[in-house]
Amino acid sequence: MDLSHNLTLFESYDIAARSVPDETAIFYFRNRISFAKLSSLIEKWASILQNDFNVKKGDYVLVSLPNIPQTIILFYAINKIGAISNMVHPYTPEEKMQEYYDECRCKVAFLFDKRVYKELKRYKQFEGNIVICEAQTYISSKYRLIYERSNNSIYKALKRNSKFTFFRNFKENEMSSISQPLSDSEVSVLLHSASTTGEAKAIQLSAKSFNFTASRVSEIMCMKPDEFIGKAMISVLPSFHGFGLCMTMHAPLVNRFGVALIPKYSAANVAKMMKTCKCAISICGVPPVFKSLISEPAFVNCGKYLRELRSCFSGGDSLPSNVKEHFDSIMIKNKSKCRLFEGYGLTEALSVCCVNTHRHHKFGSIGYPIKGVTFKILDDQNNEVERGIVGEIAIKCENIMLGYYNDEEKTKEAFEDGWFKTGDFGYLDNDGFLFITGRKNDIIVLKNGKNVYPEELEQLISDLPYVAENMVFGMPKDDDLVVSVKIVYNEIYVKQTYGDISEEELREIIWKDVKDINSRLTTYKHIKNLVVTNEPMIKTTTAKVKRFEEMKKMNE
C-alpha cells in the first residue's frame, strides 16, 4: 500500500480502515473488532479526550497499558486531536509513573487496573487524572464474566475510590472531535528506552518515523499489498517498545491487516491465538520469544496454522544461530515457507533499519538495508571506513527520531553531519549486508590496545546446549582487563544430561568447552575467567541483559 510519510498516524490508519471496513482490525482472545468498529471507538475517545479532559494540540496523554484494545484506540484518538502519546511500561512503580506524568505535564493517565491495585495506597495520592483500563472490557461476554469473577476484589477496591474513573464507563460524547493534525516535524509519540547501560532516555518520534517503517512492510514481508487483507500479525511485543508499537500494531493496521493482541506473553498463548485467529502470517519478537516458542509443544504442533506463517522476525538483541536453525527446521517439517529472519533497528531509528528477508539474506548478518535507509561505518574520528572494517554504525533515514526529550546536548552528540551515530559497532560487507559486533560501551579494550567485541564470543557460547544465557565482559586482573564470561546454565538440561553433579564438576565441564572455543579464537580474545550460576541475569523489559547493572553486581 502506498503510504505517504507526511500523513498523521490517524490519517494513515483512517485511509486503510475506510478501504476494508468489514475486515478484522483486532483479534483479542475470542473476540474480533472490525476496522469500522475500531474507527468508531477511536472517534468516541478523541471526543472524550477533547471535550471531557480538555486535551489540546501539543498536550501529552500518558498511556501505560499491556497489549489490549484500549492501547490502540487511545494511540489513534490521541493523535487525531494533535496530542502526544507518552507510552510507559504498565508495571512502572507509582513514584516513577508520577514522574513521567509531571515531566510532560500530562492531562490524563490511562493505567492498567492490576498495576494500580498493586500500589493502591500510593495511587490514591496520585496527582493527576487517572482512567482505569481493564483487560476484560473487549472480551466476549461469556469469558468476561469468568474474568470478572476471578478479579472481583480488584474491581471493588478500585471502584470504592472516587479518585478513579473507568474506561468502560465513559459514554459516547454528543460532540464530535475536531482533528488537529501534527506535522512531520512535530512530536507524535514519546517512548522511553529500557537502557542496558544505566542511562535511559525519552525519545521523541514523529508520525513520519512510524509511517516510513510501515510503508516498507511489503518489502520486508515479500508480499503484495492486497495479500495482507484478511490476515493478522501476532502482537506479543509491548506497546511501550518501538518494535512492538510500530511493527506489530501500527504497521499491520495501516497495511490493512489485523493485529492479534496477546496482553500477557507465553508461548502457549501464542499457539492458542494462532488457532483462534487462523490467519496469522507473522510473529515479531526478541530472541527469548522464539527460544520459548520452539520449546512449546502447543506451538510446534500447530500444523496447518504454521503453514499460514510467511515470515517471522527477531530483533532487539542477537539471535543465537541454534534458535534460528531449530525454528526453521520446525517450519520445514510442517511444510511452511516461513523462516525466522534477524533484523536491526533501534528506537531512535524506529524499529527496523535493515533486515534479512526471503529475497535478501546472508548467514551471520543482521540484514540488508531497507529502501530509504543508508548506513556507513565510522572510525574514532568520525571518518567513513572501507567495507569489511569494523567501526561505529551510523544511519541516515526518514524514520530517525526528532531528538531526546528535554536534552539538546545529548541530541547533538548523537548526530554527526546529519548521520545518527548508533553506539553499535559493526561492518558492511561488499554486498551491503550489515554485521554487528557489539555495543560501543560494551567493547573490552585490553592493555595492548586490542578490542574484543563481546557479542562475537557470546554467539559462540550460546551454542553450548546447557547455556540459558551468557554475558562476556572485561574483568580487572593483575592491573589489566581480561576477557571473562558469566554463564547461566539450564538446570533441567544439566540434570537430564549429567545427573546430580556438583557446581565444581559442572564448572569443569564448562571450562573444557570454553577452552575449545578459545582454541578457535585469536589469542587476545581468549576467555580467561569464568563465572557459573543458575540465577537469571538482570534484564530490561525487552529481555536484554542489563550489562551496566550486571557489571556493578560483579564488582561488588
Side-chain angles (χ1 to χ4, degrees), residues 476-505:
K477 192 172 183 181
D478 301 327
D479 299 322
D480 193 11
L481 276 181
V482 298
V483 182
S484 307
V485 63
K486 179 177 180 179
I487 289 175
V488 177
Y489 64 86
N490 182 318
E491 286 185 276
I492 295 172
Y493 181 90
V494 168
K495 192 166 186 179
Q496 289 177 343
T497 308
Y498 304 108
D500 293 321
I501 62 171
S502 67
E503 290 274 348
E504 191 54 43
E505 288 172 316

PDB file of all heavy atoms in Angstrom, residues 476-505:
ATOM      1  N   PRO A 476      38.946  -6.820  35.736  1.00  0.00           N
ATOM      2  CA  PRO A 476      40.316  -6.480  36.128  1.00  0.00           C
ATOM      3  C   PRO A 476      41.047  -7.684  36.730  1.00  0.00           C
ATOM      4  O   PRO A 476      40.479  -8.421  37.535  1.00  0.00           O
ATOM      5  CB  PRO A 476      40.115  -5.393  37.197  1.00  0.00           C
ATOM      6  CG  PRO A 476      38.734  -4.884  36.989  1.00  0.00           C
ATOM      7  CD  PRO A 476      37.949  -6.043  36.462  1.00  0.00           C
ATOM      8  N   LYS A 477      42.295  -7.874  36.302  1.00  0.00           N
ATOM      9  CA  LYS A 477      43.127  -8.943  36.847  1.00  0.00           C
ATOM     10  C   LYS A 477      44.590  -8.563  36.645  1.00  0.00           C
ATOM     11  O   LYS A 477      45.030  -8.343  35.513  1.00  0.00           O
ATOM     12  CB  LYS A 477      42.818 -10.273  36.143  1.00  0.00           C
ATOM     13  CG  LYS A 477      43.426 -11.481  36.833  1.00  0.00           C
ATOM     14  CD  LYS A 477      42.906 -12.754  36.180  1.00  0.00           C
ATOM     15  CE  LYS A 477      43.452 -13.983  36.903  1.00  0.00           C
ATOM     16  NZ  LYS A 477      42.976 -15.228  36.272  1.00  0.00           N
ATOM     17  N   ASP A 478      45.316  -8.466  37.755  1.00  0.00           N
ATOM     18  CA  ASP A 478      46.734  -8.080  37.694  1.00  0.00           C
ATOM     19  C   ASP A 478      46.931  -6.779  36.922  1.00  0.00           C
ATOM     20  O   ASP A 478      47.725  -6.697  35.976  1.00  0.00           O
ATOM     21  CB  ASP A 478      47.574  -9.192  37.055  1.00  0.00           C
ATOM     22  CG  ASP A 478      47.471 -10.501  37.822  1.00  0.00           C
ATOM     23  OD1 ASP A 478      47.328 -10.434  39.058  1.00  0.00           O
ATOM     24  OD2 ASP A 478      47.512 -11.565  37.191  1.00  0.00           O
ATOM     25  N   ASP A 479      46.160  -5.731  37.319  1.00  0.00           N
ATOM     26  CA  ASP A 479      46.257  -4.401  36.696  1.00  0.00           C
ATOM     27  C   ASP A 479      45.934  -4.393  35.206  1.00  0.00           C
ATOM     28  O   ASP A 479      46.397  -3.538  34.463  1.00  0.00           O
ATOM     29  CB  ASP A 479      47.661  -3.803  36.920  1.00  0.00           C
ATOM     30  CG  ASP A 479      47.965  -3.631  38.395  1.00  0.00           C
ATOM     31  OD1 ASP A 479      47.029  -3.261  39.134  1.00  0.00           O
ATOM     32  OD2 ASP A 479      49.113  -3.880  38.797  1.00  0.00           O
ATOM     33  N   ASP A 480      45.189  -5.351  34.759  1.00  0.00           N
ATOM     34  CA  ASP A 480      44.805  -5.411  33.351  1.00  0.00           C
ATOM     35  C   ASP A 480      43.394  -5.963  33.261  1.00  0.00           C
ATOM     36  O   ASP A 480      42.866  -6.543  34.220  1.00  0.00           O
ATOM     37  CB  ASP A 480      45.786  -6.317  32.591  1.00  0.00           C
ATOM     38  CG  ASP A 480      45.636  -6.178  31.077  1.00  0.00           C
ATOM     39  OD1 ASP A 480      44.924  -5.243  30.642  1.00  0.00           O
ATOM     40  OD2 ASP A 480      46.215  -6.994  30.347  1.00  0.00           O
ATOM     41  N   LEU A 481      42.771  -5.763  32.092  1.00  0.00           N
ATOM     42  CA  LEU A 481      41.459  -6.366  31.849  1.00  0.00           C
ATOM     43  C   LEU A 481      41.657  -7.702  31.158  1.00  0.00           C
ATOM     44  O   LEU A 481      42.452  -7.813  30.221  1.00  0.00           O
ATOM     45  CB  LEU A 481      40.608  -5.468  30.950  1.00  0.00           C
ATOM     46  CG  LEU A 481      39.827  -4.316  31.586  1.00  0.00           C
ATOM     47  CD1 LEU A 481      39.035  -3.592  30.507  1.00  0.00           C
ATOM     48  CD2 LEU A 481      38.896  -4.783  32.681  1.00  0.00           C
ATOM     49  N   VAL A 482      40.945  -8.714  31.600  1.00  0.00           N
ATOM     50  CA  VAL A 482      40.953  -9.983  30.889  1.00  0.00           C
ATOM     51  C   VAL A 482      39.528 -10.290  30.453  1.00  0.00           C
ATOM     52  O   VAL A 482      38.555  -9.840  31.058  1.00  0.00           O
ATOM     53  CB  VAL A 482      41.495 -11.142  31.757  1.00  0.00           C
ATOM     54  CG1 VAL A 482      42.931 -10.879  32.159  1.00  0.00           C
ATOM     55  CG2 VAL A 482      40.633 -11.380  32.984  1.00  0.00           C
ATOM     56  N   VAL A 483      39.404 -11.054  29.375  1.00  0.00           N
ATOM     57  CA  VAL A 483      38.096 -11.419  28.865  1.00  0.00           C
ATOM     58  C   VAL A 483      37.487 -12.465  29.797  1.00  0.00           C
ATOM     59  O   VAL A 483      38.113 -13.479  30.115  1.00  0.00           O
ATOM     60  CB  VAL A 483      38.198 -11.972  27.430  1.00  0.00           C
ATOM     61  CG1 VAL A 483      36.803 -12.315  26.898  1.00  0.00           C
ATOM     62  CG2 VAL A 483      38.874 -10.967  26.520  1.00  0.00           C
ATOM     63  N   SER A 484      36.271 -12.175  30.252  1.00  0.00           N
ATOM     64  CA  SER A 484      35.586 -13.058  31.198  1.00  0.00           C
ATOM     65  C   SER A 484      34.197 -13.385  30.658  1.00  0.00           C
ATOM     66  O   SER A 484      33.670 -12.693  29.793  1.00  0.00           O
ATOM     67  CB  SER A 484      35.453 -12.380  32.560  1.00  0.00           C
ATOM     68  OG  SER A 484      36.709 -11.915  33.010  1.00  0.00           O
ATOM     69  N   VAL A 485      33.615 -14.450  31.173  1.00  0.00           N
ATOM     70  CA  VAL A 485      32.254 -14.805  30.763  1.00  0.00           C
ATOM     71  C   VAL A 485      31.458 -15.261  31.974  1.00  0.00           C
ATOM     72  O   VAL A 485      31.973 -15.946  32.854  1.00  0.00           O
ATOM     73  CB  VAL A 485      32.261 -15.901  29.663  1.00  0.00           C
ATOM     74  CG1 VAL A 485      32.879 -17.194  30.172  1.00  0.00           C
ATOM     75  CG2 VAL A 485      30.833 -16.177  29.168  1.00  0.00           C
ATOM     76  N   LYS A 486      30.205 -14.810  32.021  1.00  0.00           N
ATOM     77  CA  LYS A 486      29.266 -15.299  33.024  1.00  0.00           C
ATOM     78  C   LYS A 486      28.263 -16.182  32.299  1.00  0.00           C
ATOM     79  O   LYS A 486      27.623 -15.748  31.333  1.00  0.00           O
ATOM     80  CB  LYS A 486      28.543 -14.140  33.714  1.00  0.00           C
ATOM     81  CG  LYS A 486      27.533 -14.600  34.764  1.00  0.00           C
ATOM     82  CD  LYS A 486      26.899 -13.416  35.478  1.00  0.00           C
ATOM     83  CE  LYS A 486      25.897 -13.880  36.534  1.00  0.00           C
ATOM     84  NZ  LYS A 486      25.296 -12.744  37.257  1.00  0.00           N
ATOM     85  N   ILE A 487      28.138 -17.427  32.740  1.00  0.00           N
ATOM     86  CA  ILE A 487      27.222 -18.381  32.115  1.00  0.00           C
ATOM     87  C   ILE A 487      26.129 -18.768  33.100  1.00  0.00           C
ATOM     88  O   ILE A 487      26.409 -19.187  34.223  1.00  0.00           O
ATOM     89  CB  ILE A 487      27.977 -19.638  31.633  1.00  0.00           C
ATOM     90  CG1 ILE A 487      28.847 -19.288  30.417  1.00  0.00           C
ATOM     91  CG2 ILE A 487      27.002 -20.766  31.280  1.00  0.00           C
ATOM     92  CD1 ILE A 487      29.716 -20.420  29.929  1.00  0.00           C
ATOM     93  N   VAL A 488      24.886 -18.561  32.663  1.00  0.00           N
ATOM     94  CA  VAL A 488      23.736 -19.041  33.428  1.00  0.00           C
ATOM     95  C   VAL A 488      23.325 -20.362  32.781  1.00  0.00           C
ATOM     96  O   VAL A 488      22.986 -20.401  31.599  1.00  0.00           O
ATOM     97  CB  VAL A 488      22.571 -18.039  33.385  1.00  0.00           C
ATOM     98  CG1 VAL A 488      21.362 -18.596  34.132  1.00  0.00           C
ATOM     99  CG2 VAL A 488      22.986 -16.704  33.967  1.00  0.00           C
ATOM    100  N   TYR A 489      23.397 -21.446  33.536  1.00  0.00           N
ATOM    101  CA  TYR A 489      23.115 -22.751  32.939  1.00  0.00           C
ATOM    102  C   TYR A 489      21.658 -23.168  33.116  1.00  0.00           C
ATOM    103  O   TYR A 489      20.971 -22.728  34.031  1.00  0.00           O
ATOM    104  CB  TYR A 489      24.061 -23.824  33.504  1.00  0.00           C
ATOM    105  CG  TYR A 489      23.920 -24.097  34.988  1.00  0.00           C
ATOM    106  CD1 TYR A 489      22.975 -25.002  35.468  1.00  0.00           C
ATOM    107  CD2 TYR A 489      24.753 -23.453  35.915  1.00  0.00           C
ATOM    108  CE1 TYR A 489      22.843 -25.256  36.827  1.00  0.00           C
ATOM    109  CE2 TYR A 489      24.640 -23.710  37.276  1.00  0.00           C
ATOM    110  CZ  TYR A 489      23.677 -24.611  37.726  1.00  0.00           C
ATOM    111  OH  TYR A 489      23.549 -24.855  39.075  1.00  0.00           O
ATOM    112  N   ASN A 490      21.222 -24.019  32.207  1.00  0.00           N
ATOM    113  CA  ASN A 490      19.866 -24.558  32.235  1.00  0.00           C
ATOM    114  C   ASN A 490      19.841 -25.770  33.166  1.00  0.00           C
ATOM    115  O   ASN A 490      20.398 -26.820  32.856  1.00  0.00           O
ATOM    116  CB  ASN A 490      19.445 -24.967  30.814  1.00  0.00           C
ATOM    117  CG  ASN A 490      18.026 -25.484  30.739  1.00  0.00           C
ATOM    118  OD1 ASN A 490      17.589 -26.244  31.602  1.00  0.00           O
ATOM    119  ND2 ASN A 490      17.304 -25.095  29.701  1.00  0.00           N
ATOM    120  N   GLU A 491      19.205 -25.606  34.314  1.00  0.00           N
ATOM    121  CA  GLU A 491      19.206 -26.655  35.338  1.00  0.00           C
ATOM    122  C   GLU A 491      18.605 -27.967  34.842  1.00  0.00           C
ATOM    123  O   GLU A 491      19.123 -29.046  35.130  1.00  0.00           O
ATOM    124  CB  GLU A 491      18.434 -26.190  36.573  1.00  0.00           C
ATOM    125  CG  GLU A 491      19.176 -25.172  37.414  1.00  0.00           C
ATOM    126  CD  GLU A 491      18.424 -24.842  38.685  1.00  0.00           C
ATOM    127  OE1 GLU A 491      17.536 -23.978  38.626  1.00  0.00           O
ATOM    128  OE2 GLU A 491      18.728 -25.465  39.715  1.00  0.00           O
ATOM    129  N   ILE A 492      17.513 -27.871  34.089  1.00  0.00           N
ATOM    130  CA  ILE A 492      16.831 -29.082  33.615  1.00  0.00           C
ATOM    131  C   ILE A 492      17.738 -29.872  32.680  1.00  0.00           C
ATOM    132  O   ILE A 492      17.892 -31.084  32.811  1.00  0.00           O
ATOM    133  CB  ILE A 492      15.508 -28.712  32.913  1.00  0.00           C
ATOM    134  CG1 ILE A 492      14.539 -28.085  33.915  1.00  0.00           C
ATOM    135  CG2 ILE A 492      14.869 -29.934  32.259  1.00  0.00           C
ATOM    136  CD1 ILE A 492      13.288 -27.506  33.314  1.00  0.00           C
ATOM    137  N   TYR A 493      18.382 -29.158  31.725  1.00  0.00           N
ATOM    138  CA  TYR A 493      19.273 -29.838  30.787  1.00  0.00           C
ATOM    139  C   TYR A 493      20.430 -30.497  31.535  1.00  0.00           C
ATOM    140  O   TYR A 493      20.786 -31.646  31.262  1.00  0.00           O
ATOM    141  CB  TYR A 493      19.819 -28.852  29.745  1.00  0.00           C
ATOM    142  CG  TYR A 493      20.729 -29.522  28.742  1.00  0.00           C
ATOM    143  CD1 TYR A 493      20.213 -30.062  27.566  1.00  0.00           C
ATOM    144  CD2 TYR A 493      22.095 -29.664  28.981  1.00  0.00           C
ATOM    145  CE1 TYR A 493      21.033 -30.708  26.654  1.00  0.00           C
ATOM    146  CE2 TYR A 493      22.927 -30.307  28.076  1.00  0.00           C
ATOM    147  CZ  TYR A 493      22.388 -30.824  26.918  1.00  0.00           C
ATOM    148  OH  TYR A 493      23.207 -31.480  26.018  1.00  0.00           O
ATOM    149  N   VAL A 494      21.020 -29.768  32.470  1.00  0.00           N
ATOM    150  CA  VAL A 494      22.163 -30.290  33.216  1.00  0.00           C
ATOM    151  C   VAL A 494      21.769 -31.556  33.976  1.00  0.00           C
ATOM    152  O   VAL A 494      22.485 -32.565  33.957  1.00  0.00           O
ATOM    153  CB  VAL A 494      22.731 -29.223  34.180  1.00  0.00           C
ATOM    154  CG1 VAL A 494      23.723 -29.835  35.166  1.00  0.00           C
ATOM    155  CG2 VAL A 494      23.405 -28.105  33.386  1.00  0.00           C
ATOM    156  N   LYS A 495      20.618 -31.531  34.635  1.00  0.00           N
ATOM    157  CA  LYS A 495      20.168 -32.684  35.434  1.00  0.00           C
ATOM    158  C   LYS A 495      19.881 -33.887  34.543  1.00  0.00           C
ATOM    159  O   LYS A 495      20.253 -35.019  34.855  1.00  0.00           O
ATOM    160  CB  LYS A 495      18.925 -32.307  36.231  1.00  0.00           C
ATOM    161  CG  LYS A 495      18.564 -33.323  37.299  1.00  0.00           C
ATOM    162  CD  LYS A 495      17.559 -32.763  38.282  1.00  0.00           C
ATOM    163  CE  LYS A 495      17.340 -33.771  39.409  1.00  0.00           C
ATOM    164  NZ  LYS A 495      16.394 -33.272  40.414  1.00  0.00           N
ATOM    165  N   GLN A 496      19.209 -33.626  33.397  1.00  0.00           N
ATOM    166  CA  GLN A 496      18.865 -34.725  32.486  1.00  0.00           C
ATOM    167  C   GLN A 496      20.099 -35.333  31.829  1.00  0.00           C
ATOM    168  O   GLN A 496      20.139 -36.530  31.558  1.00  0.00           O
ATOM    169  CB  GLN A 496      17.903 -34.225  31.403  1.00  0.00           C
ATOM    170  CG  GLN A 496      16.503 -33.931  31.908  1.00  0.00           C
ATOM    171  CD  GLN A 496      15.604 -33.366  30.826  1.00  0.00           C
ATOM    172  OE1 GLN A 496      16.080 -32.898  29.785  1.00  0.00           O
ATOM    173  NE2 GLN A 496      14.295 -33.389  31.068  1.00  0.00           N
ATOM    174  N   THR A 497      21.109 -34.501  31.584  1.00  0.00           N
ATOM    175  CA  THR A 497      22.293 -34.960  30.859  1.00  0.00           C
ATOM    176  C   THR A 497      23.383 -35.518  31.772  1.00  0.00           C
ATOM    177  O   THR A 497      23.994 -36.545  31.475  1.00  0.00           O
ATOM    178  CB  THR A 497      22.879 -33.808  30.012  1.00  0.00           C
ATOM    179  OG1 THR A 497      21.838 -33.242  29.213  1.00  0.00           O
ATOM    180  CG2 THR A 497      23.995 -34.304  29.103  1.00  0.00           C
ATOM    181  N   TYR A 498      23.627 -34.819  32.888  1.00  0.00           N
ATOM    182  CA  TYR A 498      24.760 -35.184  33.751  1.00  0.00           C
ATOM    183  C   TYR A 498      24.348 -35.774  35.098  1.00  0.00           C
ATOM    184  O   TYR A 498      25.196 -36.230  35.864  1.00  0.00           O
ATOM    185  CB  TYR A 498      25.645 -33.951  34.007  1.00  0.00           C
ATOM    186  CG  TYR A 498      26.131 -33.290  32.744  1.00  0.00           C
ATOM    187  CD1 TYR A 498      25.616 -32.052  32.349  1.00  0.00           C
ATOM    188  CD2 TYR A 498      27.087 -33.883  31.931  1.00  0.00           C
ATOM    189  CE1 TYR A 498      26.043 -31.427  31.184  1.00  0.00           C
ATOM    190  CE2 TYR A 498      27.533 -33.278  30.766  1.00  0.00           C
ATOM    191  CZ  TYR A 498      26.997 -32.045  30.409  1.00  0.00           C
ATOM    192  OH  TYR A 498      27.429 -31.438  29.259  1.00  0.00           O
ATOM    193  N   GLY A 499      23.039 -35.745  35.395  1.00  0.00           N
ATOM    194  CA  GLY A 499      22.594 -36.233  36.697  1.00  0.00           C
ATOM    195  C   GLY A 499      22.896 -35.224  37.790  1.00  0.00           C
ATOM    196  O   GLY A 499      23.078 -34.031  37.536  1.00  0.00           O
ATOM    197  N   ASP A 500      22.952 -35.700  39.019  1.00  0.00           N
ATOM    198  CA  ASP A 500      23.215 -34.812  40.165  1.00  0.00           C
ATOM    199  C   ASP A 500      24.712 -34.599  40.327  1.00  0.00           C
ATOM    200  O   ASP A 500      25.404 -35.373  41.009  1.00  0.00           O
ATOM    201  CB  ASP A 500      22.623 -35.406  41.449  1.00  0.00           C
ATOM    202  CG  ASP A 500      21.105 -35.429  41.405  1.00  0.00           C
ATOM    203  OD1 ASP A 500      20.521 -34.453  40.902  1.00  0.00           O
ATOM    204  OD2 ASP A 500      20.520 -36.433  41.840  1.00  0.00           O
ATOM    205  N   ILE A 501      25.220 -33.564  39.667  1.00  0.00           N
ATOM    206  CA  ILE A 501      26.651 -33.256  39.794  1.00  0.00           C
ATOM    207  C   ILE A 501      26.824 -31.971  40.591  1.00  0.00           C
ATOM    208  O   ILE A 501      25.924 -31.141  40.667  1.00  0.00           O
ATOM    209  CB  ILE A 501      27.341 -33.132  38.409  1.00  0.00           C
ATOM    210  CG1 ILE A 501      26.736 -31.975  37.602  1.00  0.00           C
ATOM    211  CG2 ILE A 501      27.241 -34.437  37.634  1.00  0.00           C
ATOM    212  CD1 ILE A 501      27.508 -31.664  36.346  1.00  0.00           C
ATOM    213  N   SER A 502      27.989 -31.804  41.152  1.00  0.00           N
ATOM    214  CA  SER A 502      28.273 -30.610  41.955  1.00  0.00           C
ATOM    215  C   SER A 502      28.551 -29.417  41.047  1.00  0.00           C
ATOM    216  O   SER A 502      28.831 -29.579  39.845  1.00  0.00           O
ATOM    217  CB  SER A 502      29.483 -30.863  42.852  1.00  0.00           C
ATOM    218  OG  SER A 502      30.650 -31.013  42.064  1.00  0.00           O
ATOM    219  N   GLU A 503      28.503 -28.226  41.633  1.00  0.00           N
ATOM    220  CA  GLU A 503      28.828 -26.993  40.897  1.00  0.00           C
ATOM    221  C   GLU A 503      30.254 -27.061  40.350  1.00  0.00           C
ATOM    222  O   GLU A 503      30.529 -26.610  39.251  1.00  0.00           O
ATOM    223  CB  GLU A 503      28.674 -25.772  41.813  1.00  0.00           C
ATOM    224  CG  GLU A 503      27.240 -25.438  42.176  1.00  0.00           C
ATOM    225  CD  GLU A 503      26.564 -24.543  41.146  1.00  0.00           C
ATOM    226  OE1 GLU A 503      27.270 -24.006  40.279  1.00  0.00           O
ATOM    227  OE2 GLU A 503      25.332 -24.402  41.205  1.00  0.00           O
ATOM    228  N   GLU A 504      31.143 -27.634  41.134  1.00  0.00           N
ATOM    229  CA  GLU A 504      32.549 -27.709  40.731  1.00  0.00           C
ATOM    230  C   GLU A 504      32.724 -28.641  39.530  1.00  0.00           C
ATOM    231  O   GLU A 504      33.467 -28.338  38.596  1.00  0.00           O
ATOM    232  CB  GLU A 504      33.407 -28.203  41.909  1.00  0.00           C
ATOM    233  CG  GLU A 504      34.908 -28.068  41.688  1.00  0.00           C
ATOM    234  CD  GLU A 504      35.332 -26.654  41.308  1.00  0.00           C
ATOM    235  OE1 GLU A 504      34.841 -25.684  41.916  1.00  0.00           O
ATOM    236  OE2 GLU A 504      36.153 -26.520  40.366  1.00  0.00           O
ATOM    237  N   GLU A 505      31.998 -29.757  39.542  1.00  0.00           N
ATOM    238  CA  GLU A 505      32.081 -30.687  38.405  1.00  0.00           C
ATOM    239  C   GLU A 505      31.499 -30.048  37.142  1.00  0.00           C
ATOM    240  O   GLU A 505      32.043 -30.207  36.040  1.00  0.00           O
ATOM    241  CB  GLU A 505      31.318 -31.976  38.743  1.00  0.00           C
ATOM    242  CG  GLU A 505      32.015 -32.860  39.763  1.00  0.00           C
ATOM    243  CD  GLU A 505      31.148 -34.019  40.210  1.00  0.00           C
ATOM    244  OE1 GLU A 505      29.935 -33.798  40.471  1.00  0.00           O
ATOM    245  OE2 GLU A 505      31.667 -35.143  40.308  1.00  0.00           O
TER     246      GLU A 505
END
